[in-house]
Amino acid sequence: MGKVVLVTGAARQLGGRFVRRIQRDPDVDRVIGVDAVAPEHHLGGAEFLKADIRHPAIARVLAEKGVDTVVHMDINGTPLGKRGGRASVKETNVIGTMQLLGACQKAPNVQRLVIKSSTSVYGSAPRDPAVFTETTTPKSLPSGGFAKDIVEVEGYVRGFARRRPDVAVCVLRFANILGPCADSPLAEYFSLPVWPTVLGYDPRLQFVHEDDALAVLRIAAAAPRRGTLNSGTFNIAGDGVLLLSQTSRRLGRPTVPLLLPTVTWAGTALRSVGITDFSPEQIRLLTHGRVVETTQMRETLGFQPKYTTAETFAEFARSRGPGLLPPESLARTVDRLAGVLSARGGPTQ
């Protein structure tokens, strides 16, 4: 691992936890956390610099601090707290990444670059394959929102890798990250007392636990272990999948199946009143779902998640408390209803 590690997005919970975690590695001399706002949490003994990666000044930080490992975690789907909006998030994701990569290109000390990407790069469409691998070409490229940001970010990262072949670049495409501190749009949706869903669809979903996300980021930021390779692009997700209906029952949140145009209208209404960022991109995910293959994560990167998708969701559910309906009662009701429909020859899901 590099002796001096710079971590962007340190003001967010996940970024702050990674800063505190990486300091405990014996091969790390210094950790520098960077963000445009001061963090509300402690960063341990790490140095914090209030700096906006959208500005060229980030190049001076890399040069003056002698940074040799950069972990870019300031790529997100929502603004931090109530600061800014979608335009600000896009600028940080895309323009900020461009400036950071430009700074890394000019910094001869930089030896390793880790990018926190997302499986959103694959999009969600009706003609998608059942399972995405790292080399699968999406049937329909994302046309907006966070997913489009990720597509642009990864394009700039590939360009950087060509210009600086001496830098080890690792792109981690995370499935939806959940846990007690999760602050993603999907976590906000799961926290709603009642969920609007798309009538006739029950998408497959994958999750990765916050602790597993931190563990794999640490592996990516270190020198590769014997028999592994931590340069390249890797899907990161827990074993197994959950249907949206299963997550509803396990949280005790009732669903309201609606026609797609109505769900889109409901999403616009929820965004306008600031309840949750129920974007068109998220509606597509909750319609068609998304599942990725993780063989490369295990066999090449050498990472085995501690939590499965189901266990990750269980941890998240415990942190959110009971829903309107007790999960056990809701599950029994759904099972009885499915039994009645089956006896009558009707459809079941």
Side-chain angles (χ1 to χ4, degrees):
M1 182 174 293
K3 296 293 184 180
V4 182
V5 181
L6 181 139
V7 181
T8 67
R12 291 181 179 266
Q13 287 294 331
L14 192 66
R17 288 187 62 190
F18 182 71
V19 167
R20 294 192 295 271
R21 175 63 187 86
I22 203 74
Q23 291 175 73
R24 301 200 296 268
D25 285 4
D27 293 333
V28 175
D29 290 340
R30 297 173 62 194
V31 180
I32 303 165
V34 172
D35 212 312
V37 296
E40 297 179 355
H41 44 258
H42 294 293
L43 296 180
E47 178 182 356
F48 175 75
L49 292 178
K50 187 176 180 181
D52 193 331
I53 62 172
R54 294 174 294 181
H55 299 156
I58 190 65
R60 187 169 65 250
V61 173
L62 294 181
E64 292 179 353
K65 302 298 181 180
V67 173
D68 50 40
T69 300
V70 175
V71 182
H72 184 27
M73 299 182 64
D74 203 1
I75 304 173
N76 302 281
T78 57
L80 180 60
K82 301 299 181 182
R83 303 178 181 91
R86 170 61 199 154
S88 176
V89 170
K90 181 176 179 62
E91 286 181 6
T92 300
N93 290 344
V94 179
I95 305 302
T97 299
M98 290 176 61
Q99 290 286 2
L100 181 65
L101 294 176
C104 289
Q105 183 175 338
K106 299 174 184 176
N109 287 340
V110 173
Q111 302 171 9
R112 180 167 293 277
L113 171 67
V114 180
I115 303 292
K116 181 181 80 72
S117 188
S118 168
T119 57
S120 297
V121 71
Y122 301 116
S124 295
R127 295 176 57 245
D128 281 346
V131 179
F132 285 100
T133 68
E134 287 84 351
T135 58
T136 303
T137 302
K139 297 293 185 182
S140 177
L141 283 174
S143 58
F146 175 63
K148 187 171 185 294
D149 292 355
I150 290 295
V151 171
E152 294 184 37
V153 163
E154 289 202 5
Y156 293 130
V157 171
R158 287 191 294 272
F160 169 82
R162 289 192 296 269
R163 293 188 297 271
R164 284 289 304 270
D166 58 308
V167 177
V169 179
C170 184
V171 177
L172 301 176
R173 290 175 176 169
F174 287 98
N176 296 284
I177 299 175
L178 286 183
C181 299
D183 60 354
S184 64
L186 191 61
E188 293 178 353
Y189 171 80
F190 285 149
S191 299
L192 294 173
V194 179
W195 298 353
T197 60
V198 181
L199 182 66
Y201 291 88
D202 195 7
R204 298 174 303 153
L205 303 173
Q206 280 178 313
F207 308 117
V208 57
H209 195 280
E210 293 171 341
D211 292 349
D212 284 330
L214 296 175
V216 74
L217 281 163
R218 178 173 172 264
I219 289 175
R225 296 172 294 182
R226 178 173 295 185
T228 68
L229 178 67
N230 60 356
S231 299
T233 300
F234 302 94
N235 293 329
I236 309 297
D239 288 343
V241 300
L242 282 177
L243 298 175
L244 182 61
S245 60
Q246 291 176 304
T247 64
S248 167
R249 292 197 293 270
R250 296 180 188 199
L251 267 177
R253 259 59 170 193
T255 61
V256 180
L258 303 169
L259 295 174
L260 182 57
T262 307
V263 175
T264 302
W265 174 86
T268 302
L270 290 172
R271 286 200 311 276
S272 64
V273 297
I275 294 178
T276 182
D277 185 17
F278 199 39
S279 63
E281 167 195 350
Q282 185 166 312
I283 292 174
R284 286 191 291 272
L285 174 65
L286 297 176
T287 303
H288 307 294
R290 185 189 307 121
V291 177
V292 297
E293 173 65 60
T294 57
T295 300
Q296 294 301 315
M297 174 189 76
R298 302 171 193 283
E299 298 182 357
T300 304
L301 187 60
F303 176 67
Q304 176 69 39
K306 179 181 177 182
Y307 295 87
T308 65
T309 285
E311 290 168 345
T312 297
F313 192 79
E315 285 279 305
F316 172 78
R318 280 192 288 271
S319 72
R320 288 304 189 266
L324 294 177
L325 301 175
E328 297 81 5
S329 300
L330 181 60
R332 285 196 299 270
T333 300
V334 172
D335 291 342
R336 283 198 296 267
L337 179 60
V340 170
L341 290 173
S342 178
R344 294 181 178 181
T348 59
Q349 290 188 358

